[in-house]
């Protein structure tokens, strides 16, 4: 079955700098790659997703890149702000039509 | 529009007891999912309802877990009897009926279950 690894587990960046979180997956048949943000006391919320026919997608300060050959995808957040502090999860839509999740990255934005 | 709601927000029970978690999805969402996150680990799929039917329950850990979705509206997840390893945060999510696989899933705030 699909296996998803997410790194780093914790990321601390200075406000205004960029943050990058990476995920790798194992099943080459997987074709959907969402990123979720979980703020304290809330459930995960979809912030951006990408499908296997696209290599990059942007939405304001966030972007996701996908490398299907290498089986990895990344979340990029530019010009980080205090409200970006949260736990970020990557997930993969596998060939069994389930979402397989990474273990999460705690992003800390230092003032 | 109200989001996905879950009750209770926290539950502390002793090993061997029974606990029932409830999820109210967004109105009109046919798809309802249950997930669990054990401390610091990945979120794991438990099962998926389409209306009142179980579409996929391959993630249910064992027969101590029973999920129902009466009339295709709210859902309950019962753990009986609870074991220590059942501790974690249980999330419910819902999505619209079209292309359920890759539609955005809207999550509730979760129920934190602690089994002592």
């Amino acid at each position: 079955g699909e296996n998803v690894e997410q790194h780093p587990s914790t990321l601390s960046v200075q406000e205004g700098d960029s943050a990058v979180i990476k995920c790798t997956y194992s099943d080459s048949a997987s074709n959907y790659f969402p990123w979720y943000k979980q703020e304290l006391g809330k459930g995960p919320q979809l912030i951006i997703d990408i499908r296997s026919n696209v290599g990059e997608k942007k939405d304001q300060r966030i972007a996701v890149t996908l490398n299907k050959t290498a089986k990895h995808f990344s979340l990029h957040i530019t010009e980080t702000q205090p409200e970006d502090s949260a736990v970020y999860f990557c997930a993969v839509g596998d060939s069994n039509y389930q979402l397989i999740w990474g273990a999460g990255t705690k992003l800390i934005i230092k003032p | 529009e109200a989001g996905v709601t879950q009750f209770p927000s926290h539950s502390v029970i002793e090993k061997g007891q029974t606990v029932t978690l409830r999820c109210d999805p967004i109105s009109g969402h046919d798809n309802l999912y249950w997930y669990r996150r054990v401390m610091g680990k990945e979120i794991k799929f438990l099962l998926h309802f389409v209306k009142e039917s179980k579409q996929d329950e391959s993630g249910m850990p064992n027969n101590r877990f029973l999920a129902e979705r009466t009339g295709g509206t709210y859902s309950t997840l019962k753990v009986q009897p609870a074991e220590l390893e059942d501790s974690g945060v249980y999330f419910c999510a819902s999505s619209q009926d079209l292309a359920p696989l890759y539609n955005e899933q809207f999550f509730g705030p979760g129920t934190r279950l602690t089994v002592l």
Side-chain angles (χ1 to χ4, degrees):
Chain A
E2 178 65 269
N3 182 48
V4 178
E5 293 192 1
Q6 181 173 347
H7 299 280
S9 57
T10 304
L11 178 60
S12 184
V13 302
Q14 204 70 38
E15 182 179 348
D17 288 350
S18 295
V20 180
I21 303 170
K22 298 181 180 181
C23 285
T24 60
Y25 61 99
S26 58
D27 187 354
S28 56
S30 296
N31 58 8
Y32 176 62
F33 308 91
W35 285 91
Y36 281 79
K37 175 183 180 182
Q38 185 184 11
E39 297 176 322
L40 201 61
K42 298 182 179 180
Q45 181 180 10
L46 179 71
I47 54 172
I48 194 167
D49 59 11
I50 192 168
R51 300 174 194 275
S52 60
N53 58 339
V54 177
E56 183 176 357
K57 183 177 178 181
K58 283 186 178 181
D59 183 4
Q60 299 182 348
R61 296 187 297 109
I62 60 172
V64 55
T65 58
L66 171 65
N67 183 330
K68 284 222 75 181
T69 302
K71 290 186 279 190
H72 68 70
F73 58 112
S74 301
L75 177 70
H76 304 254
I77 306 174
T78 58
E79 301 173 13
T80 53
Q81 299 171 5
E83 55 265 35
D84 294 330
S85 294
V87 178
Y88 291 81
F89 292 94
C90 65
V92 175
D94 75 355
S95 53
N96 292 320
Y97 301 105
Q98 288 183 19
L99 283 182
I100 310 300
W101 297 73
T105 296
K106 184 177 182 179
L107 176 62
I108 300 166
I109 307 300
K110 297 180 290 184
Chain B
E1 179 183 299
V4 177
T5 58
Q6 292 186 245
F7 182 82
S9 57
H10 295 84
S11 181
V12 181
I13 61 172
E14 293 190 351
K15 176 182 172 181
Q17 290 186 322
T18 297
V19 63
T20 300
L21 314 181
R22 173 170 169 143
C23 169
D24 286 78
I26 293 173
S27 177
H29 281 193
D30 286 344
N31 295 277
L32 187 149
Y33 309 83
W34 283 99
Y35 294 91
R36 176 174 71 177
R37 188 185 189 210
V38 174
M39 182 66 71
K41 297 194 174 181
E42 70 274 18
I43 296 171
K44 284 199 169 181
F45 167 84
L46 297 179
L47 87 159
H48 170 205
F49 283 100
V50 177
K51 297 184 179 179
E52 68 275 9
S53 300
K54 291 177 185 174
Q55 180 76 15
D56 181 354
E57 55 182 330
S58 61
M60 294 287 264
N62 51 61
N63 59 10
R64 295 185 295 103
F65 289 75
L66 175 64
E68 295 180 325
R69 190 178 182 194
T70 307
T73 55
Y74 70 92
S75 175
T76 58
L77 179 64
K78 180 191 288 187
V79 185
Q80 179 183 28
E83 298 289 345
L84 299 178
E85 63 264 26
D86 300 333
S87 295
V89 180
Y90 290 77
F91 291 107
C92 173
S94 71
S95 68
Q96 288 184 326
D97 56 349
L98 295 177
L101 171 59
Y102 293 150
N103 259 6
E104 178 177 358
Q105 294 184 21
F106 295 86
F107 280 75
T111 293
R112 181 175 295 278
L113 175 63
T114 302
V115 183
L116 303 176

